[in-house]
Amino acid sequence: MPTTSHSPPTSGERLSWKPILHHDLPASLVVFLIAIPLSLGIAAASGAPLIAGLVAAVIGGVVAGALGGSTLQVSGPAAGLTVIVAELVQQFGWAATAAITCAAGLLQIVLGVTRIGRWALSLSPAVVHGMLAGIGITIAVQQLHVVLGGTAQSSLIANITALPAQLVAHHGHSVAAGVLTVAVVLAWPRIPKAKAIPAPLVAVVAVTALAAVAMPDVARVDLPDDPLRSLILPAMPDGTPLEIATAVLTIALVASVESLLSAVAVDKLHRGPRSNLDRELIGQGAANAVSGALGGMPVTGVIVRSSTNVAAGARTRASAIMHGLWIAAFVLAAGSMLELIPMAALAGVLLVTGLRLVQLAHIRTLRRHDELLVYVVTALGVGVLGLAEGVLLGLVLALLRVLYRLARATVTATEVDGVWVVRIRGALVFLGVASLVRTLRSIPAGAAVRVELTVDHLDHAAQEAIEDWRRGHVARGGSVEVCRAGSDEAPLRALLAKLAAEGQQPAHLFITCADSRIVPTMITTSGPGDQFCVRNIGNLVPPKGSNSSSVDAAIEYAVDVLGVRSIVVCGHSSCGAAAAALAADVPEGSGLENWLRHLEPSVRRALALPDIVDPATGVPLSAADKLSVANVAVQLENLRSFPSVRRAETEGRLELIGLWFDIGAATARLVLDRAPYLVRADAELSKIRSSGTASAIATNPSSQ
């Protein structure tokens, strides 16, 4: 699938100079300006040498940026490890802590090689967005103190408690510098054609220049005088093997979890390729091994710098790498220039960045899916208790809610005209079997029974319990009729009633083939109302002006009226339209021949491509299937011939996604316009599933 104008390339894609110069270079400068004071502050709070924080920032940017699996994640010293590092410094000393960091990095590499990183994709979106919101609120309140010219406290509660006194205090120039920075950051993007230069960079440069001539008393960045001489190289820890192993394991696990959570969260901030979490663990491990060997602090993926990197317009991993190089160069050669920057200006940038992590769109979507409580609890937990504790609290709550929904079944038994009617409603799984059996055993022996299953899920344990009871009841002279005809009617009626009340609000336009074997809701496991679906022979999108008024109208209605967030073009294996186009035996002058002429550009594209290999079997696709894959990419290009599509995509309101469904394997693949042409589509399908207007009735396509 052709990448959109705002999508960064995949980790294996060759980097070109144009996006690096136009986007990554200015973004790296913005992240660099933020990373310097953050790295110094985290080092000071951890009891580590200040240079150790800078070393970690350089290594995190260069090593993790180059080797990691997240294209836009920025790594460096993290606030989430401050307490742990401080305890290790107090227990072992800094040299030993550096050695522990190095060993923890090697352990992370082992974890990455064993491929456990992908488990982070199982996190509930409510937990991830809640984590972002909690971090954002914590940062905003913390940096508000610095904007006001004061000093941030160690926790969210302490910062909120101290805020009233800070508001009435008078700090003169610091307040002016901070407020002016916030104003420039918010106002700059509203200026026509000004978006080419990131607002944070403009704000910091402008306020620094103003402070140099008009704000002599403002607090500024403070760097060590001789950075290299303050390096402390690692030494073996003096402690028991258990103590050392515990320290290594703690650093490795916390750093890994924070990096993976950050990578998953960053993926939700941009429309580019998703992170390879196993490779990200390997990259983070390599960075920690090198940082510890050079006397640096532990490294993790950091959401503040990463979200700033995305917001500043970064397109490739070059931004993270360059930000590390800028830190090294400026600290060694031009530290005095950095010391001109007011701390309040940097705090103003962070204040806006933190507030932007709390997105109303996420809140509305989670509320619609009844997951707002998980979001709120996670956000409050992260802010009040800490990152790991808050995320754990959110995960526990999300799991409890899933168990509650699975166990929420109503079983009633009533006698109607001599027949006992057992009604089972909801989701009946093993957790509700005990209640089910109690109700069934209350029915008199020998009675005629009608079991009405009005359920949206019935697991094996529940089915076996009903069947065991049925056999026993029949053996005792009774009769049992199990009725499943209306099993989905009640939940479906309730869902459709909810959709009718809310109005039609599909989030996606799904363009696919008219083949009866293609069921869009099965592929995406979405509910009714989530998709606006268009089906035709060959899933074609004739270019604008091709006199295909029906398809034109559907696209323009979906984009301009419904405001869909994505358009999915889905081809499939064994496509009859592709086979007909290659066979060229369609009756001349027929309507089908006229329609299949729109496939000619796809035929030319397919002929120019090398073999396309099935990623599951490693076998090249047939000529028809190869044409079907190429056709998806061509139709995505045709979509951009519509002005409304181009405009929405350019403004970041619309994403174009290409899928290819293997009917035999019941697997959807993402279509790329480069080798490999077919890759896993987990992230794209997850986005479609998680952002619809209705919850899916079924969540496992293979079970249908």
Side-chain angles (χ1 to χ4, degrees):
M1 179 182 69
T3 55
T4 66
S5 60
H6 291 279
S7 298
T10 59
S11 56
E13 187 176 347
R14 181 179 298 174
L15 302 180
S16 63
W17 286 107
K18 187 174 181 179
I20 291 177
L21 294 176
H22 288 188
H23 303 285
D24 295 317
L25 178 59
S28 70
L29 291 172
V30 174
V31 180
F32 148 71
L33 291 171
I34 291 174
I36 287 283
L38 284 178
S39 302
L40 293 172
I42 291 170
S46 304
L50 293 181
I51 188 60
L54 296 173
V55 168
V58 173
I59 300 303
V62 176
V63 177
L67 302 181
S70 181
T71 306
L72 297 184
Q73 173 153 272
V74 179
S75 302
L81 283 170
T82 298
V83 176
I84 297 174
V85 174
E87 291 176 353
L88 293 180
V89 172
Q90 186 175 5
Q91 181 179 1
F92 297 106
W94 176 249
T97 301
I100 290 171
T101 299
C102 184
L106 298 177
L107 178 57
Q108 283 182 289
I109 294 176
V110 173
L111 294 176
V113 171
T114 55
R115 299 187 176 184
I116 69 167
R118 63 190 64 188
W119 287 99
L121 289 174
S122 301
L123 289 175
S124 163
V127 174
V128 177
H129 290 309
M131 180 196 74
L132 283 171
I135 292 173
I137 293 171
T138 302
I139 292 168
V141 176
Q142 180 188 67
Q143 297 304 313
L144 181 57
H145 281 272
V146 183
V147 167
L148 295 173
T151 302
Q153 306 299 312
S154 58
S155 68
L156 176 62
I157 299 299
N159 279 313
I160 293 175
T161 303
L163 194 55
Q166 194 70 261
L167 290 171
V168 299
H170 179 67
H171 298 288
H173 289 154
S174 291
V175 177
V179 172
L180 181 59
T181 302
V182 172
V184 173
V185 170
L186 294 177
W188 183 257
R190 300 178 182 274
I191 301 175
K193 299 183 180 181
K195 291 183 179 180
I197 306 177
L201 181 60
V202 175
V204 170
V205 171
V207 173
T208 299
L210 180 62
V213 297
M215 302 178 182
D217 60 338
V218 72
R220 290 177 167 83
V221 171
D222 185 19
L223 297 178
D225 294 332
D226 194 347
L228 292 180
R229 288 192 177 182
S230 58
L231 281 175
I232 300 177
L233 297 180
M236 281 298 297
D238 184 12
T240 66
L242 180 60
E243 290 174 337
I244 297 172
T246 301
V248 171
L249 185 62
T250 301
I251 290 291
L253 291 182
V254 175
S256 298
V257 169
E258 188 162 349
S259 296
L260 294 179
L261 288 175
S262 177
V264 172
V266 171
D267 281 350
K268 297 181 181 299
L269 299 178
H270 66 84
R271 300 185 294 114
R274 308 298 90 181
S275 299
N276 181 329
L277 298 181
D278 298 317
R279 176 178 169 179
E280 181 63 18
L281 266 186
I282 295 174
Q284 294 292 334
N288 271 315
V290 176
S291 179
L294 296 178
M297 293 185 65
V299 170
T300 77
V302 239
I303 190 61
V304 178
R305 274 157 271 187
S306 301
S307 59
T308 301
N309 192 40
V310 175
R315 300 288 179 86
T316 75
R317 63 182 62 247
S319 175
I321 297 172
M322 285 191 292
H323 115 277
L325 297 177
W326 298 142
I327 295 174
F330 274 77
V331 169
L332 294 175
S336 58
M337 292 180 61
L338 296 177
E339 292 179 333
L340 296 175
I341 302 173
M343 293 297 295
L346 298 173
V349 172
L350 287 177
L351 172 62
V352 176
T353 300
L355 291 176
R356 284 175 174 168
L357 292 179
V358 184
Q359 298 190 22
L360 294 178
H362 293 155
I363 294 175
R364 286 193 292 266
T365 299
L366 293 171
R367 180 182 179 184
R368 191 162 55 238
H369 289 278
D370 195 25
E371 295 182 348
L372 187 58
L373 179 62
V374 176
Y375 174 90
V376 172
V377 168
T378 305
L380 292 177
V382 169
V384 176
L385 302 176
L387 178 65
E389 294 86 348
V391 170
L392 180 61
L393 191 62
L395 288 174
V396 170
L397 179 58
L399 179 60
L400 290 176
R401 287 176 61 81
V402 169
L403 293 176
Y404 170 74
R405 289 171 177 171
L406 287 175
R408 187 176 59 185
T410 303
V411 182
T412 61
T414 57
E415 187 178 8
V416 181
D417 298 330
V419 178
W420 283 83
V421 179
V422 180
R423 293 185 174 91
I424 304 174
R425 298 182 177 88
L428 186 59
V429 296
F430 66 95
L431 296 171
V433 166
S435 174
L436 168 68
V437 172
R438 280 196 305 270
T439 302
L440 293 175
R441 287 178 178 176
S442 68
I443 300 173
V449 182
R450 174 184 170 89
V451 179
E452 295 182 354
L453 295 174
T454 310
V455 296
D456 48 8
H457 183 70
L458 191 73
D459 76 349
H460 178 69
Q463 288 178 324
E464 191 173 78
I466 294 173
E467 180 60 22
D468 287 346
W469 171 83
R470 187 193 67 80
R471 285 196 298 263
H473 189 75
V474 171
R476 291 189 293 272
S479 65
V480 179
E481 177 190 3
V482 179
C483 177
R484 298 178 58 92
S487 61
D488 288 331
E489 290 180 2
L492 184 55
R493 276 199 300 268
L495 183 57
L496 293 177
K498 180 181 178 183
L499 289 173
E502 293 180 351
Q504 184 180 203
Q505 296 177 331
H508 314 281
L509 168 60
F510 199 92
I511 302 174
T512 190
C513 188
D515 192 299
S516 61
R517 296 169 295 176
I518 298 297
V519 183
T521 54
M522 184 188 78
I523 296 173
T524 61
T525 64
S526 55
D530 288 351
Q531 295 178 356
F532 177 48
C533 191
V534 172
R535 305 184 68 154
N536 61 46
I537 296 175
N539 47 270
L540 297 177
V541 181
K544 179 69 174 177
S546 300
N547 296 321
S548 179
S549 56
S550 177
V551 177
D552 291 8
I555 293 171
E556 291 167 356
Y557 177 73
V559 175
D560 296 334
V561 179
L562 297 178
V564 296
R565 294 196 295 276
S566 71
I567 300 179
V568 180
V569 177
C570 181
H572 66 96
S573 61
S574 304
C575 179
L582 292 175
D585 58 357
V586 178
E588 188 175 352
S590 66
L592 180 59
E593 184 199 33
N594 291 333
W595 177 252
L596 290 182
R597 284 176 182 171
H598 296 301
L599 262 172
E600 292 176 358
S602 301
V603 173
R604 292 193 294 270
R605 172 74 63 87
L607 292 174
L609 290 176
D611 286 343
I612 297 178
V613 176
D614 185 330
T617 64
V619 177
L621 298 182
S622 66
D625 284 353
K626 178 182 175 182
L627 170 57
S628 178
V629 172
N631 181 52
V632 172
V634 172
Q635 304 317 308
L636 290 169
E637 294 174 358
N638 290 347
L639 278 169
R640 295 188 175 92
S641 67
F642 290 80
S644 58
V645 172
R646 286 200 309 273
R647 182 168 56 252
E649 187 182 27
T650 301
E651 294 172 356
R653 296 184 286 108
L654 180 67
E655 179 178 11
L656 305 185
I657 299 173
L659 296 180
W660 190 75
F661 188 69
D662 186 334
I663 293 176
T667 303
R669 300 290 183 183
L670 183 66
V671 176
L672 308 176
D673 63 348
R674 58 186 177 278
Y677 300 96
L678 295 176
V679 297
R680 290 172 63 107
D682 301 7
E684 282 65 26
L685 291 174
S686 176
K687 286 187 291 184
I688 298 171
R689 293 164 185 161
S690 65
S691 60
T693 60
S695 301
I697 294 176
T699 57
N700 185 1
S702 62
S703 69
Q704 299 185 37

